[in-house]
Amino acid sequence: MNRLTPIAAALVATFAAPLSAHAQQATPATSTTATTATGSQLAPVTVEGRRDDFASTGTAITKLPADLHDVPQSVTVVNKAQMQSQGVSSLADALRNVSGITLGGAEGGQIGNNINLNGFSARTDIYLDGFRDRGQYYRDTFAIEEVEVLMGPSSMLFGRGSTGGIINQVSKKANLKAATEITGSVTTNGLVRSTVDVNRPLSDTSALRIEAMAQNGAASTRNQTDVQDFGLAGSYIWGIGTSTEITLSALLQHNQDQPDYGLPPLNGHPVNVDRNTAYGLNSDRTIQDVAAFNAGIKHKIAPDVTLRNQTQFNYVHTNAVETAPNTIGTVSSSGFTALTNAASSLPLSSLFVRGQSHDRNINDYSIFNQTELAAKFSTGSVKHDALVGVEVGHDGYDNQNTYRNGSCNGRSLNASGATTGYMDCVSLVNPSYSAAGSSVADTAGNRAGGSANTIAAYVGDTIELVPHFKLVGGLRYDRYVASISNSINSGNTAGSTALGYAQQSVNFVSVRSGAIWQPSAAQSYYVSYGTSFNPSLEQLTGTTGQQNLDPEKNRSYELGGKWDVAEGLALTAAGFQITKENARSQVATGVYELAGTVRVNGARAGATGRITRDWQIAANYTYLDAKVVGGAVADTSVGKIPVNTPKHTFTTWTTYDVAPHWQVGGGATYMSQRYANATNTVQVGGYTRYDAMLAYTTKAYDIRLNLYNLTDKMYYDALIQSDGGRSVPGSGRTALLSLTYRM
């Protein structure tokens, strides 16, 4: 854990820069002298610019107006400046800046980034440059310029899914300004990381940009969280500033990480053991190879008419050997006996954890093409900002599961012929990570496959009827055809949760509408309505009883306002209601009905930007009153709060330039209690985590010290509803020291 302390100490020493350096200006500035026609000189003019603003005035989503004031929905943008200030290196870390978002860990057949947004799963609602990024992998930010979160159902814009909203990653793009940025960092956990970002103009109208990343070490204070990752990304653009612009971009990433399946529940809460306790094996690993390629062309037919065509291909291969804590029990001469209802009054030292293998080899890919025509025009006194588009795409999925059937105290943990994968038992308090189950062999299990074809057409318009008043409307038609298969249960035997084969065709029309009143350039008030849909085979997996169900239908109402105040400070506030109807409700094993209703009444508020020239802030709060309000009689989740949905979340980050070159910052993250399972029998307490930052900044380089979890608070970062509801503890107190050099 402390093997890199000497390196850290050496880097800390660099903060002892001479105080005389304070005489320099904190903000890069250039001075120019103007000359009159007679040759006399005027007073020098100093032009200052900031590169560390948290505020963002627009979005890169082409389906939305560039100005956020014209978007009748809540949008939160976490840009590069804010991510650098916090030492963010992953999508999960970036999303901690967005209240209303909670994280899920590795679960069942799903690994990578599992996210809940406004009380609903956003598992398939992660996007890269406007295209669905559905692969199961852990996303890094080394090639990301900003992360945009659009709240509320948005199928009119993005197709299936998007119940709680969508998350769009905006990749870094080449431009005509030559720049190089190199960053190196080290943590007290022993994680070493380096990134490189090089941008070069090749001509007056073309440029090339390359980004690279490598990291190695422990990701947190918890045991078994080592990562060994590297990545390469780039973009080439020609025709910059001309009527036709062509962009080629790519992302290649390799991850070799240790998964964290957290702690099992006991007596209605996460088991009370040391937060660094992990129940996997030292040999556990998740190896992922990621490839994404994008080609786009944008042509200006006229000054206010633009045609865009873009194609993106994503591929993710995952090879995982993972061990999860399945349940707690006792061990005797007859073997392992699981606790009833995960409850016990026995001392923790006398209890054991049964491990379960979650091994698989996954190939996940998609290819999509979008063609859009955007035009601004007038019909009489009415102004239009219209968009017409067509989307076609294909998704593919192949998952070969394997399992390790082992024993405990000399007794088999699995019934004869079972493929359950129970492979060891370890002490609850002091697990022997490297010994138990290490010699159990893998056996091939179910092979699940799936594919889907999508074709869609959409039209939207922002209409300015009179000055200061706009109407927003749009329709989208989707045809979604999916099929799945499993190598087991080829006859679709009743009662089995595995489908031998299933196929589904869904036709759906999504709606988006709104009204915007803008009494001034600094104010915007809106009301909006939107819908979305979730096919039962959306994730290209399914269980018996779901294959013939209609899609779940979602609708949202939102009322809000956006204000620009002070020196670039943007304020937002909104109230909303999201309702999922036709929710799949389990009646019995393998039997579902469209009888469920999930409703979330909520409110959010945010502030981003500069309060003064030296003081800036990014803060937001979300209130979620979520409940399963309807369902089948046998559905035990009716009347309960959805999994991993806190009533209150608040996040803030602020920085202040205390002197030339010197900056301090900090923030707090608050989350109220949540439930780790659908029946609300496992409660996870709320918490407040505090972080801080000290930086020495110049035009050429920055030295930054980030301190995370200052009070060493024990809290739970991610929840997993499988196995009764597991909870992943957050990292303990950690320091990150980084040096960024620009040239």
Side-chain angles (χ1 to χ4, degrees), residues 219-295:
S220 79
T221 60
R222 280 180 52 73
N223 294 324
Q224 300 177 323
T225 60
D226 283 355
V227 300
Q228 188 175 24
D229 308 328
F230 58 85
L232 181 67
S235 61
Y236 175 51
I237 304 179
W238 68 92
I240 299 175
T242 69
S243 59
T244 302
E245 183 177 289
I246 299 174
T247 301
L248 299 176
S249 62
L251 167 69
L252 300 174
Q253 186 174 317
H254 174 83
N255 302 332
Q256 182 163 335
D257 305 336
Q258 287 187 302
D260 195 343
Y261 276 84
L263 306 178
L266 181 67
N267 297 326
H269 298 277
V271 63
N272 186 23
V273 295
D274 185 273
R275 77 149 143 247
N276 295 332
T277 305
Y279 296 100
L281 306 181
N282 282 342
S283 57
D284 285 355
R285 81 289 187 277
T286 303
I287 300 174
Q288 299 177 306
D289 291 295
V290 181
F293 302 97
N294 188 299

Side-chain angles (χ1 to χ4, degrees), residues 283-557:
S283 57
D284 285 355
R285 81 289 187 277
T286 303
I287 300 174
Q288 299 177 306
D289 291 295
V290 181
F293 302 97
N294 188 299
I297 182 169
K298 180 174 67 174
H299 176 65
K300 276 191 171 294
I301 300 173
D304 291 325
V305 182
T306 302
L307 180 65
R308 290 185 291 264
N309 182 271
Q310 192 171 352
T311 300
Q312 184 158 294
F313 172 76
N314 286 34
Y315 173 78
V316 180
H317 173 254
T318 300
N319 179 263
V321 177
E322 304 174 349
T323 307
N326 170 260
T327 191
I328 298 174
T330 58
V331 173
S332 65
S333 58
S334 60
F336 179 87
T337 302
L339 297 177
T340 302
N341 298 323
S344 174
S345 59
L346 295 172
L348 297 183
S349 59
S350 65
L351 298 176
F352 290 78
V353 174
R354 179 175 65 190
Q356 184 178 32
S357 59
H358 286 257
D359 306 346
R360 58 223 123 148
N361 193 64
I362 303 173
N363 292 293
D364 210 337
Y365 70 92
S366 63
I367 182 167
F368 275 78
N369 176 271
Q370 293 177 358
T371 301
E372 295 179 339
L373 179 67
K376 295 182 179 180
F377 59 94
S378 298
T379 53
S381 62
V382 178
K383 298 179 180 179
H384 299 263
D385 187 349
L387 178 73
V388 178
V390 175
E391 178 180 278
V392 293
H394 175 78
D395 296 297
Y397 176 75
D398 181 83
N399 182 353
Q400 174 63 69
N401 285 286
T402 58
Y403 62 92
R404 288 169 279 151
N405 281 354
S407 61
C408 174
N409 201 24
R411 300 285 185 172
S412 176
L413 286 165
N414 305 271
S416 178
T419 60
T420 43
Y422 302 138
M423 43 77 62
D424 70 356
C425 60
V426 296
S427 167
L428 177 64
V429 176
N430 188 27
S432 52
Y433 310 113
S434 59
S438 58
S439 60
V440 179
D442 257 319
T443 303
N446 181 48
R447 182 171 183 175
S451 65
N453 294 312
T454 299
I455 184 168
Y458 50 92
V459 58
D461 196 4
T462 299
I463 306 169
E464 184 177 315
L465 296 175
V466 295
H468 312 305
F469 185 76
K470 298 175 181 178
L471 294 178
V472 175
L475 294 173
R476 174 174 172 135
Y477 167 78
D478 276 272
R479 178 168 173 79
Y480 177 74
V481 180
S483 62
I484 66 169
S485 63
N486 291 278
S487 62
I488 60 174
N489 190 27
S490 58
N492 282 349
T493 305
S496 174
T497 58
L499 281 171
Y501 177 81
Q503 187 171 14
Q504 183 181 52
S505 297
V506 174
N507 300 287
F508 198 88
V509 176
S510 304
V511 177
R512 180 172 183 260
S513 62
I516 306 172
W517 178 49
Q518 298 170 331
S520 69
Q523 301 178 70
S524 181
Y525 305 90
Y526 65 88
V527 60
S528 65
Y529 170 77
T531 66
S532 67
F533 70 105
N534 298 95
S536 59
L537 301 185
E538 178 183 6
Q539 298 188 34
L540 298 184
T541 59
T543 60
T544 54
Q546 292 190 30
Q547 67 270 33
N548 296 318
L549 297 181
D550 290 337
E552 296 175 319
K553 301 174 183 177
N554 317 291
R555 52 186 171 85
S556 171
Y557 300 92

